[in-house]
Amino acid sequence: MSSPNSPVDVDVPPAPPAPAVPRALPNGLAAFLVFFSSGAVLVLETVALRLVGPYVGVTLQVTSSVIGIALAAIAYGAWTGGWLADRRDPRPLLAPALVLAGIATAVTLPVVRYAGEVLRGGAASAIILLVAAAVFVPAALLSAVSPLVVKLQLADLRRTGQVVGKLSGIGTLGGITATLLTGFVLVAALPSSVIMVGLAVALGLTGVGLWVWLRRQERTSLPGPARVRATLAVLGLAGASLAAVAPDPCDVETEYHCASVETDDSRPTGRMLLLNSAQHSYVDLEDPTYLEFAYTQWIGRVADVTAPSGQRLDALHVGGGGFTMPRYLAATRPGTDNLVFEIDGGLVDLGREKLGLRTGPDLRAEVGDARMLVAAEPAASRDLVVGDAFGHLVVPWHLATREMAAEIHRVLRPGGIYVQNVIDYPPLRFIRSEVATVAAEFRHVALIAPPAALAGEYGSNFLIVASDQPLPLAALAPRLGALNEPTRVLTGNDLTAFVGDALVLTDDYAPVDQLLATA
């Protein structure tokens, strides 16, 4: 019998084995996965703007949506990846994330092209939905890779800051590299469809290669039964097949536009240039004096009264498009020096191939940003400046400011005329501001537009006409009156009342996209 103070033998169960810590990846492989996945997100973000452009345009709202949706995808993907990394071994998750991202990238192309036909237009909801379809899923999957890799590399808590900081920096470098490579090289060399399919293939091969390597190292396999892996393979093939047959709205994909040329069924020699699916220019291959659109007719009538009939002019065109007006002036005023500033070299090539453009001594095309090129032009060197530059349906903001108007004023000779084509919609905030902006630099300004458009009944083209000398309105009025579409010319007090207290746009403050937004 033992006393209360006697030692007692007690069976103590053995301590449970410590949970196995997943072995870290080789540093080079970890760096590559973070660099590659982060870079792929930025390739998606850059190309997405070109994918959605043909359907919803390329405006500040679209650009903001692409950036915002991409950032949301990065945030949710990183959050989810970190959550999974704390609950499961990250090693078997890496390859599926890359393979699924490749499949989602392949599927993105047909999804955007089919959905784009349904969501076509500039409505905010359509823009956000289409951008989300283009970016969110593949970007979120790719953004989950970095936290999975970071978790694997944190074997020593004393090096946490070094590991996280290093991999974060590598991911940022991947994004920077991909942005520059895509913007400067890939977009200039390859169609968006080729970039997307190529990225999908690269992601899929990287995922499969990683899976093979992990399996050889530790017998790690993709989670789930064989039919899951077979389903992934089928989805990948289906995505690639849909991408191959998805409708392509472009004949040519330039650095800036999805461009196509259509033949006019009612006029066999007529050709319509569409940029991002919007009608931008019309030319007659055999008759350069034929002007289809009302605003080109207005520009033509102004050019007709700028100088006596047949007299040559020195004309500068800000924006080429289909080169309708340079061809018109070359035909109606032989010997005219037409200098065209066009930022998109692809449009110049397309004009030569399909729109009857013939460059030479009387019609020269210089590729570059018009703001920079105008600034390099000699003072008092032009009789006529035609402003007809658009990004989709919006005048680029830096071509709509008072500083740009001042440069044009400098380039014009005394008595020279500036005409600027503008598109606006009710409540007409942008055209009012643009008239006020041009009037801040020129003494005499007039506005040509349909009466109903001036009354704010619908959107339209508006033509601003400006000069330091009195405008030839008496000669212009009968020519405009002979056109099929009713036209009104606002000048003097009527124009002042129309403009009201509209904002004068400057390089420091030119909210062009917001002014164009409908109320």
Side-chain angles (χ1 to χ4, degrees):
M1 185 173 182
S2 60
S3 67
N5 296 323
S6 301
V8 178
D9 295 331
V10 179
D11 293 331
V12 179
V21 178
R23 193 157 53 89
L25 297 173
N27 288 334
L29 177 59
F32 167 76
L33 291 175
V34 171
F35 185 93
F36 178 60
S37 60
S38 299
V41 173
L42 270 296
V43 173
L44 283 168
E45 181 178 347
T46 304
V47 178
L49 190 61
R50 301 179 68 79
L51 290 180
V52 304
Y55 308 102
V56 293
V58 184
T59 64
L60 181 61
Q61 286 82 0
V62 175
T63 304
S64 300
S65 296
V66 169
I67 296 171
I69 295 295
L71 289 174
I74 292 170
Y76 282 107
W79 188 356
T80 303
W83 183 83
L84 288 172
D86 285 342
R87 285 158 177 78
R88 298 191 59 177
D89 180 359
R91 296 171 76 88
L93 300 178
L94 286 170
L98 291 168
V99 172
L100 285 171
I103 293 171
T105 301
V107 173
T108 289
L109 190 63
V111 165
V112 168
R113 288 183 172 170
Y114 286 114
E117 296 297 336
V118 177
L119 299 173
R120 186 182 295 276
S125 57
I127 292 172
I128 293 173
L129 285 172
L130 194 59
V131 169
V135 176
F136 190 85
V137 174
L141 287 165
L142 288 166
S143 299
V145 171
S146 289
L148 294 174
V149 172
V150 169
K151 177 71 174 184
L152 288 172
Q153 305 308 102
L154 292 177
D156 185 353
L157 293 180
R158 292 173 299 178
R159 299 177 60 249
T160 298
Q162 180 181 342
V163 170
V164 174
K166 178 181 177 180
L167 291 177
S168 177
I170 289 172
T172 301
L173 287 175
I176 294 171
T177 304
T179 300
L180 296 175
L181 180 65
T182 306
F184 281 88
V185 179
L186 294 182
V187 168
L190 299 170
S192 297
S193 55
V194 174
I195 297 174
M196 292 295 286
V197 172
L199 179 62
V201 171
L203 289 168
L205 291 177
T206 301
V208 171
L210 178 63
W211 171 58
V212 171
W213 184 85
L214 289 172
R215 190 174 186 184
R216 288 178 177 176
Q217 292 292 312
E218 299 180 2
R219 295 290 178 181
T220 301
S221 63
L222 287 171
R227 62 185 178 184
V228 173
R229 298 194 291 272
T231 300
L232 293 177
V234 170
L235 286 174
L237 291 173
S241 300
L242 284 173
V245 301
D248 189 348
C250 313
D251 287 343
V252 176
E253 195 169 338
T254 70
E255 291 186 48
Y256 293 89
H257 299 101
C258 163
S260 59
V261 175
E262 295 181 352
T263 299
D264 185 351
D265 293 335
S266 63
R267 194 178 183 91
T269 57
R271 298 292 184 272
M272 182 77 73
L273 172 65
L274 293 93
L275 301 181
N276 298 326
S277 298
Q279 295 181 351
H280 267 251
S281 300
Y282 186 103
V283 299
D284 189 305
L285 299 181
E286 294 184 1
D287 183 5
T289 66
Y290 178 78
L291 303 175
E292 171 72 13
F293 295 147
Y295 82 89
T296 58
Q297 296 171 12
W298 304 337
I299 298 175
R301 299 307 179 265
V302 172
D304 291 343
V305 300
T306 296
S309 179
Q311 178 178 315
R312 71 172 297 280
L313 297 173
D314 290 315
L316 174 63
H317 303 262
V318 178
F323 294 84
T324 303
M325 295 317 301
R327 294 175 73 242
Y328 176 85
L329 287 175
T332 59
R333 294 179 178 274
T336 289
D337 176 27
N338 289 285
L339 176 58
V340 183
F341 293 156
E342 172 55 59
I343 195 171
D344 193 342
L347 290 186
V348 179
D349 296 334
L350 184 62
R352 292 191 180 107
E353 293 171 9
K354 296 188 176 183
L355 297 174
L357 174 62
R358 298 291 181 267
T359 53
D362 62 344
L363 203 170
R364 296 170 291 138
E366 189 168 345
V367 176
D369 189 292
R371 180 68 182 268
M372 304 297 102
L373 296 175
V374 169
E377 283 293 291
S381 59
R382 296 287 159 179
D383 303 303
L384 176 68
V385 175
V386 179
D388 194 16
F390 286 85
H392 193 53
L393 301 178
V394 180
V395 177
W397 73 268
H398 67 307
L399 303 183
T401 64
R402 180 172 183 174
E403 289 83 353
M404 178 62 174
E407 285 295 332
I408 292 171
H409 183 269
R410 179 187 63 82
V411 168
L412 279 171
R413 294 187 176 115
I417 292 180
Y418 174 41
V419 290
Q420 182 187 5
N421 178 31
V422 174
I423 296 176
D424 198 8
Y425 309 87
L428 307 182
R429 290 175 295 192
F430 176 51
I431 184 59
R432 297 178 200 271
S433 279
E434 191 60 14
V435 172
T437 301
V438 173
E441 292 296 325
F442 290 88
R443 293 191 184 94
H444 300 274
V445 179
L447 181 62
I448 302 173
L454 289 170
E457 296 179 11
Y458 57 78
S460 174
N461 292 85
F462 297 80
L463 188 69
I464 302 171
V465 186
S467 177
D468 266 352
Q469 300 295 324
L471 296 168
L473 299 178
L476 180 62
R479 294 172 183 266
L480 294 175
L483 300 177
N484 292 330
E485 182 176 355
T487 304
R488 185 181 176 192
V489 180
L490 285 185
T491 60
N493 293 334
D494 290 337
L495 185 60
T496 301
F498 175 80
V499 172
D501 59 353
L503 172 72
V504 173
L505 306 177
T506 66
D507 285 351
D508 184 55
Y509 185 53
V512 171
D513 295 87
Q514 288 77 11
L515 289 171
L516 274 163
T518 57

